[in-house]
Amino acid sequence: MAAAKKQPGGRGGKRAPMREFSRSLPMLLLRGREAVMRHFRPSLRAHGLSEQQWRILRALASVDDIEVTDLARTACLLAPSLSRMLRDLEARRLIERRVPKADLRRGIVSITPKGLRLIETVAPSSEAIYAEIARRYGAGKLAELQEMLRGLEASLQAMPIAGGEADGED
């Protein structure tokens, strides 16, 4: 692949009427997420879990049960992807699904005792990774970053979506 030609001032490539790519908030968030997740993936893989499946189990572990649509929102997953993952997790007996008789359109999901045992098995590794991240980055800075990200999310909730909403997923 050919190297990009450098322009005066150290900037390579063509100039676009927008901020430099290195200052793109979505890219910085993705790079930060990737920097974090690359430490968690080996442990999840060792336990036969994808990142998305882990998010589902973690979300389910914090509630008695939840509607599928709420779970999709909580775990940041699109409905078709969630549906496929729920089938797999149910086949592995890590979750249970049921349909309330009062409303057959609703789906309710809960974690099983086997799913909770899996979380208990993965938790020590996960917490060790968190501890190392806090040690390297600083516990105070990490807490501040988490609070800032929650604040960013909250402040953008009411912001209108230009051109309609386009959900993404990892």
Side-chain angles (χ1 to χ4, degrees):
M1 179 191 289
K5 290 185 181 182
K6 296 280 182 185
Q7 294 184 359
R11 297 168 94 182
K14 299 182 191 259
R15 293 182 189 218
M18 56 193 322
R19 74 185 65 244
E20 292 180 40
F21 186 65
S22 65
R23 296 189 44 83
S24 162
L25 181 58
M27 283 308 302
L28 288 168
L29 291 169
L30 282 169
R31 288 174 193 250
R33 180 188 184 283
E34 181 58 29
V36 170
M37 288 309 301
R38 73 174 167 225
H39 296 282
F40 287 93
R41 284 187 194 112
S43 174
L44 295 177
R45 275 195 299 268
H47 292 93
L49 292 169
S50 69
E51 296 169 44
Q52 296 85 1
Q53 290 170 326
W54 179 244
R55 287 200 317 257
I56 291 166
L57 293 175
R58 291 274 286 133
L60 291 174
S62 64
V63 297
D64 290 333
D65 56 35
I66 189 171
E67 286 194 37
V68 172
T69 54
D70 293 332
L71 178 58
R73 188 172 31 261
T74 300
C76 296
L77 292 165
L78 297 175
S81 296
L82 176 61
S83 180
R84 185 178 61 253
M85 285 178 230
L86 291 179
R87 277 194 303 272
D88 179 58
L89 294 171
E90 187 175 34
R92 294 168 61 187
R93 297 190 179 124
L94 299 172
I95 65 154
E96 292 177 341
R97 291 194 282 184
R98 62 183 171 80
V99 177
K101 291 178 184 171
D103 188 351
L104 299 177
R105 297 168 297 175
R106 291 176 47 215
I108 305 294
V109 184
S110 59
I111 195 165
T112 63
K114 182 179 178 182
L116 286 172
R117 285 191 303 274
L118 180 57
I119 285 183
E120 290 170 358
T121 300
V122 178
S125 171
S126 180
E127 288 304 311
I129 295 164
Y130 269 108
E132 181 61 14
I133 291 169
R135 187 188 73 72
R136 288 178 175 267
Y137 187 64
K141 284 173 51 178
L142 182 58
E144 184 180 352
L145 175 61
Q146 290 170 318
E147 190 57 37
M148 289 172 62
L149 289 170
R150 281 189 288 272
L152 175 64
E153 179 185 11
S155 70
L156 296 179
Q157 289 295 321
M159 184 175 165
I161 306 294
E165 188 166 348
D167 280 331
E169 116 178 34
D170 48 274

